[in-house]
Amino acid sequence: MILVTALLTAVSGYAAGVTLLRSSEDEPRPATGTELMSTGEGQGEAASGKAPQISVDGRHLVFQSRADLAAATPLHPRSGGDRWRVYGRDRTTGAVTLLSDPRSDASDPRISADGRVVTYHRGGTPAPKGGAAGSAAGTVVVDRSVSGKGELDRPGNVLATDLAEAPGPVPASFPELCERDCGPRLSHDGTSVVYPSVLSPVSPALVLTAAAAGEPAAVAGDLVDVNALAGREGGFGPDDEPVTVTVGTRSAASGGGDGDLTGEPRLQQRKSGAFRAGAKKCDASGACRTTVTFDPARCAEESVIWNRLDTRGSTPAGRSSVGLLARCAGEAPAPDCPAAPKAGHLADLPLRRGELRSSPASGQLLDAGSVVPGRPLLVMVSARGLTGRVSYGSQDCAAVRLVEPDAKLRERAREAGAANPAPLGSGSVLDGSDTGTLYFLLDPGAGPDGHMPDDPAAALLTYAARVVLTPASGTGASGDGFSLTVRAVRQVVEMRRDVKAGAGFVPGPASLVSVVAGDDASSPRTVDGTRPALSGDGRTVAFTAYGLDPSAPRAGAVVAARFTDEGRHLGSRTVSGPVAAGTTADSAAVSSDGRTVAFVRRPDPPVPGEAAQVLVTDERGEGTRTMSTNSSGAPGNADSTRPVLSPDGRVVGFASTATNLEGGTPPSGLQLYVRAVASHDSVVRLAALGEAKDADRSAAAFDAGGGVAAFTTAEPLVGNDANEQPDVYAHAVAGRLAVEPAALDFGTFAGTSTTGTAMPLRITNTGPGPVTVDSVTSAAPFVHRGSCVGRRIPAGEVCTAVVSFVPRVPGRYAGTLDVKARTALGATALTAGLDLVAVVEKEPARSGDTGEDDSGGDSAGTTDGGPAPGRSDEPPPTEPGTAVVGVSPSVARPGQVLRVQGSGFTPGDRATLTWGTAGPVQQAVVTPEGTLTVYIPVGRQERMGPGSVTVSNERGELLAYTGFLVAPTSR
């Protein structure tokens, strides 16, 4: 494959319909609550699309569509056909840009925080007629402003790089084999890319040969058959002389000119004695070889002898793993295999059709190709042309075995071309006609077999089996049978970083992400990894891992791997809880700072009455909480999947078919829900997502604070969407305003005084979108002080203020405090408030008193609303914010004691501290240095979530406040 590099200098040569990109000086489009994104530039009709991603700043959006949209196209010309294309849209100017080559499918686009860098998965293309090679699948990185100056997508300022040709694969990438979530993930600064890849026992750049004498022959099926090389198809005897086979390697690209290709070879079973491996030798051209000697003396004990030659060590072309097979004279004994899987289980497995072929190094061979551990499949082989009695031997019964399918699978085999799908097994007699079909179950082991920190390919296995044909009554044998090999490829996660400072993405060597600690911290090992999620800072990769626990190899877990800014692996931690059979965790999403992780936990295999749920946790796997619940905390009664987090980690979105998440009429089909992570309030439905199988891998995408969600829905949300197909929308997510507590009762004061009381109030946004406080007004004589006005409150967060009251005139006081706020884009106005109550009793008359009140107020008291406050000769209140206060720890657990430290207060003042949600009060005297230290308890029944500490003076004026978080006790 040729490295894709597009550095364009003009637009005039492209196809008709090209529209130049608008400049930022053009008048921006007015912001609305819901915007249709999957349209062409200057066009208003919906054209269908999916998989949207939005930049953190909310301005740029990318999506994929099969439509040939009108767009500015400095990177690629427009083209017909129905390939998936990746488009970019500027939400301010409306400009649309075609970012992928329409000659091949493009999917799973991702975008950097500023919209400059875009990645996507490019599908492979078949080879055209005339002998030209097709293109393989890969991951493409597009830098839309190589110079870093001016507008994006300017002519001559776009660079596209295909990572399939980037240097230093680890050891080789095969994106086309990645069946689940192959798309890349991009850090916000556009310098780090992670993607699933596949490790194979044999690198595509490595060619293996073998010879016992004469010219070396290419190794087929990753198996060296010593009998075929030595001309002993009938088998070895114990008295035969040893046979030495030379195994060589060379580069497929340059014929051996790239130096050492093989690393250090070694046998898997070094104590068997039947095979011995010699030292590696390389010639001046760089081609390397090693000798493997088979001693037939072991034929006195065994009839089929297996081994494997691994080549280990870092090499330019990769690693290899080749099976070794030697057969002794006589019938092969039946393999000692455990009970086969039930026929009903086999019926639902993928079915391949196998064809026999011959190889000088491997004899008669059935190459089953690559198999991913944990994804078993069946291969069927027609008995036509085969004669003799079938006997069968396997290197590993769990990896390769003969099975007998049921009627359902036999019918599928007939549809796939089997002339006679009747199953054959060991002992069957073949007469060369269509007497039936051999069915092989391929299910290679999912876990690694050793601790190889520097060589992940050492855990990859090449398995083999052998069908032996011997003469039977009335028929001879057509040869001695055939071998079957299977390469146990493994899916892993790779990361590449930009190694060039400044503009233009220049990919460095890939590093392997799916590495975890072994039994001891010094022995990391490679695990099967898929579905990666990358934090915005590029330092955390959360992925689904398999094989963490050998006792539950199919159980998935979400692992968070941490890296330095330079890409050095710091370690990995399972954050989805203990690995156990019967459950699995997958589909990770991660916040920008890597401190919040969302994932799906589901029963596996499915259990009636148990549904998949979306959960969130922190970077240590603590404080895990279910998000797919209704307002009472009950989990969804059907599957919830495809979680996504806003970059700040405050908002989670997910898809669900549950019918109990909202009140009222239950929705039908898959729905998109969002909620604030820190809020216990109910979820909010945004749109229908259609059929579960048609939904994108992520339910939505968010801007920085979750104020705008981009998603795909077939539900028409605007008038010009009439195509009845899924379309891309950008939608403003509204927050929900609440003021706590519902009322502030200052109680009864015994007489007038100049000393007041202050009580805290909490202006809360229960989410899921952000809100901005416009005003806070309170009825006199109650005084509100705080800094909430003008503040943007993210989802699930709280702004704390203080309401004070000074009992200067007797009477009963009642009033309200009103809060007004607006949601994202100003689309919705919100109001909330609370009641204020206080009572001031008249002091009893003392001897000599006239009974007249000289305070300037109404001595007879007032009705609700209260008298005007009396004048005071006290100095004017100081503005809040001159003092500061802090809480340690900032994340508290029930039963802990917090230390409150403050500075900048007036020396000698008596300060009143109020904290938590129940409003306990404690007083402290400020030191001569203007500091205070107070220890306050956190009640064991304290409400979980944000809390606050407020400090006021004797006049009830707010001096300082700070927040803290009450989190559940860690497991």
Side-chain angles (χ1 to χ4, degrees):
M1 184 189 304
I2 300 175
L3 189 67
V4 179
T5 304
L7 194 58
L8 309 176
T9 58
V11 183
S12 57
Y14 287 111
V18 172
T19 305
L20 292 178
L21 191 69
R22 295 186 182 96
S23 69
S24 60
E25 287 76 17
D26 287 306
E27 182 179 353
R29 295 184 172 186
T32 60
T34 302
E35 302 170 83
L36 178 64
M37 296 285 100
S38 49
T39 64
E41 184 170 21
Q43 297 175 333
E45 297 298 321
S48 78
K50 66 176 186 177
Q53 292 291 311
I54 193 168
S55 60
V56 172
D57 61 11
R59 173 169 178 173
H60 300 280
L61 183 141
V62 291
F63 63 95
Q64 64 185 71
S65 176
R66 291 186 184 274
D68 184 17
L69 302 180
T73 54
L75 183 55
H76 295 287
R78 293 174 63 182
S79 174
D82 62 351
R83 296 281 188 180
W84 284 108
R85 302 159 170 85
V86 169
Y87 291 95
R89 176 181 284 275
D90 189 319
R91 295 182 61 228
T92 301
T93 66
V96 178
T97 304
L98 176 61
L99 298 173
S100 66
D101 188 338
R103 292 174 296 181
S104 60
D105 282 319
S107 60
D108 291 332
R110 298 284 158 161
I111 191 167
S112 63
D114 58 2
R116 172 180 161 180
V117 180
V118 175
T119 61
Y120 61 87
H121 176 73
R122 181 177 56 78
T125 58
K129 295 181 180 180
S135 63
T139 297
V140 178
V141 181
V142 180
D143 192 323
R144 305 165 72 189
S145 181
V146 177
S147 68
K149 300 178 181 179
E151 287 296 321
L152 304 181
D153 305 311
R154 293 184 306 156
N157 198 31
V158 179
L159 176 68
T161 303
D162 194 323
L163 297 186
E165 292 295 323
V170 182
S173 298
F174 303 103
E176 67 272 14
L177 296 181
C178 170
E179 298 175 1
R180 293 185 297 174
D181 198 13
C182 293
R185 301 294 179 261
L186 181 68
S187 63
H188 287 166
D189 62 3
T191 63
S192 298
V193 182
V194 296
Y195 50 89
S197 184
V198 175
L199 300 184
S200 171
V202 177
S203 166
L206 201 62
V207 175
L208 298 176
T209 59
E215 293 296 322
V219 174
D222 305 337
L223 176 72
V224 173
D225 189 329
V226 179
N227 298 70
L229 289 174
R232 295 297 301 268
E233 288 79 3
F236 288 98
D239 298 328
D240 289 341
E241 293 294 322
V243 176
T244 297
V245 176
T246 301
V247 180
T249 61
R250 62 181 176 83
S251 168
S254 59
D258 289 339
D260 183 0
L261 297 177
T262 61
E264 294 299 328
R266 69 178 68 172
L267 294 171
Q268 179 191 22
Q269 300 174 356
R270 285 177 286 178
K271 297 181 180 180
S272 68
F275 287 97
R276 299 190 304 274
K280 179 189 64 179
K281 297 180 180 179
C282 298
D283 58 25
S285 68
C288 301
R289 63 187 182 277
T290 189
T291 58
V292 177
T293 300
F294 169 68
D295 187 354
R298 289 292 299 274
C299 284
E301 305 171 15
E302 303 177 59
S303 58
V304 180
I305 302 173
W306 313 91
N307 212 318
R308 190 178 89 241
L309 182 69
D310 287 332
T311 59
R312 305 181 180 185
S314 180
T315 69
R319 290 86 164 165
S320 65
S321 174
V322 59
L324 302 173
L325 168 65
R327 289 169 287 109
C328 302
E331 291 191 9
D336 183 18
C337 294
K342 294 182 180 179
H345 172 69
L346 300 176
D348 297 326
L349 296 180
L351 180 65
R352 291 181 185 174
R353 184 173 179 178
E355 299 291 343
L356 297 177
R357 57 193 178 96
S358 297
S359 164
S362 307
Q364 190 81 347
L365 180 75
L366 170 67
D367 185 359
S370 301
V371 179
V372 177
R375 302 184 197 173
L377 56 86
L378 292 160
V379 173
M380 62 179 188
V381 180
S382 172
R384 185 173 182 82
L386 300 177
T387 58
R389 185 183 302 276
V390 174
S391 60
Y392 173 76
S394 176
Q395 182 185 15
D396 186 328
C397 284
V400 190
R401 69 189 327 174
L402 269 172
V403 293
E404 183 174 341
D406 64 0
K408 179 181 178 181
L409 181 57
R410 292 198 293 270
E411 181 59 31
R412 287 178 52 206
R414 186 184 303 278
E415 294 173 355
N420 182 0
L424 299 170
S426 186
S428 299
V429 176
L430 312 182
D431 60 7
S433 65
D434 291 322
T435 52
T437 301
L438 295 162
Y439 295 89
F440 295 93
L441 172 64
L442 309 183
D443 190 11
D449 61 351
H451 304 292
M452 279 69 67
D454 297 325
D455 186 10
L460 309 177
L461 304 179
T462 300
Y463 296 95
R466 180 77 189 182
V467 172
V468 178
L469 297 175
T470 56
S473 176
T475 181
S478 57
D480 64 339
F482 60 90
S483 299
L484 181 148
T485 60
V486 53
R487 294 187 296 275
V489 302
R490 304 179 60 197
Q491 188 163 297
V492 295
V493 178
E494 292 181 355
M495 173 185 286
R496 290 189 187 271
R497 292 179 180 269
D498 190 351
V499 297
K500 177 184 176 182
F505 189 94
V506 179
S511 59
L512 196 62
V513 172
S514 44
V515 176
V516 301
D519 296 333
D520 56 90
S522 62
S523 302
R525 60 191 177 96
T526 304
V527 296
D528 302 314
T530 184
R531 301 178 72 108
L534 179 63
S535 63
D537 60 13
R539 298 186 61 186
T540 300
V541 182
F543 61 94
T544 304
Y546 297 92
L548 294 181
D549 186 346
S551 64
R554 298 183 186 277
V558 173
V559 172
R562 294 285 291 171
F563 296 84
T564 65
D565 290 334
E566 296 76 28
R568 182 170 58 88
H569 186 220
L570 296 175
S572 300
R573 178 186 294 269
T574 301
V575 298
S576 57
V579 178
T583 63
T584 190
D586 54 38
S587 306
V590 63
S591 62
S592 184
D593 59 5
R595 295 184 177 179
T596 305
V597 180
F599 63 93
V600 174
R601 180 176 290 158
R602 70 183 86 225
D604 186 25
V607 177
E610 295 186 19
Q613 305 293 343
V614 172
L615 296 88
V616 294
T617 188
D618 63 16
E619 75 273 18
R620 301 181 62 85
E622 299 178 350
T624 303
R625 190 160 66 92
T626 303
M627 293 286 100
S628 48
T629 61
N630 58 23
S631 57
S632 63
N637 57 12
D639 286 345
S640 298
T641 56
R642 299 176 176 87
V644 61
L645 285 169
S646 61
D648 62 5
R650 302 178 191 272
V651 181
V652 61
F654 58 91
S656 181
T657 54
T659 58
N660 65 330
L661 298 183
E662 288 186 303
T665 304
S668 60
L670 197 67
Q671 306 292 320
L672 169 61
Y673 293 100
V674 294
R675 71 178 302 169
V677 171
S679 172
H680 292 264
D681 217 345
S682 59
V683 298
V684 173
R685 175 191 173 276
L686 293 189
L689 296 179
E691 297 295 331
K693 60 182 177 59
D694 296 329
D696 295 329
R697 292 181 176 91
S698 297
F702 294 109
D703 68 350
V708 177
F711 52 86
T712 303
T713 178
E715 181 179 339
L717 302 183
V718 296
N720 54 341
D721 184 358
N723 61 2
E724 299 183 351
Q725 297 181 26
D727 276 290
V728 173
Y729 282 91
H731 178 75
V733 181
R736 292 178 289 193
L737 186 66
V739 178
E740 300 175 336
L744 290 178
D745 188 345
F746 290 84
T748 301
F749 295 83
T752 60
S753 172
T754 58
T755 300
T757 298
M759 298 184 71
L761 64 89
R762 296 155 51 90
I763 301 175
T764 304
N765 173 19
T766 59
V771 299
T772 301
V773 178
D774 285 333
S775 65
V776 180
T777 57
S778 59
F782 301 96
V783 178
H784 158 263
R785 288 187 174 88
S787 59
C788 297
V789 176
R791 178 175 169 183
R792 184 177 185 269
I793 304 179
E797 293 299 303
V798 176
C799 182
T800 302
V802 166
V803 178
S804 59
F805 174 78
V806 178
R808 292 174 177 169
V809 179
R812 183 178 185 274
Y813 298 81
T816 59
L817 179 140
D818 297 311
V819 180
K820 294 184 178 180
R822 63 182 185 277
T823 63
L825 301 181
T828 306
L830 304 174
T831 60
L834 56 82
D835 295 326
L836 306 171
V837 178
V839 176
V840 182
E841 293 182 343
K842 186 176 181 180
E843 292 181 311
R846 295 187 297 272
S847 176
D849 287 348
T850 64
E852 295 181 359
D853 189 345
D854 60 357
S855 63
D858 184 354
S859 62
T862 73
T863 58
D864 290 356
R871 296 185 298 271
S872 173
D873 293 330
E874 295 290 331
T878 58
E879 290 295 325
T882 57
V884 294
V885 65
V887 177
S888 178
S890 59
V891 179
R893 310 288 181 183
Q896 283 186 333
V897 175
L898 303 183
R899 182 174 64 179
V900 180
Q901 291 182 297
S903 62
F905 297 93
T906 302
D909 267 7
R910 183 176 295 276
T912 299
L913 287 84
T914 305
W915 70 91
T917 58
V921 176
Q922 185 169 323
Q923 290 189 331
V925 177
V926 180
T927 67
E929 291 78 22
T931 64
L932 60 82
T933 301
V934 176
Y935 293 89
I936 59 176
V938 179
R940 294 194 177 276
Q941 302 303 319
E942 188 77 55
R943 176 180 172 183
M944 301 298 111
S948 61
V949 175
T950 64
V951 184
S952 57
N953 59 19
E954 293 179 295
R955 295 183 297 275
E957 299 163 345
L958 175 66
L959 301 179
Y961 63 89
T962 188
F964 64 92
L965 179 67
V966 179
T969 302
S970 59
R971 296 190 301 270

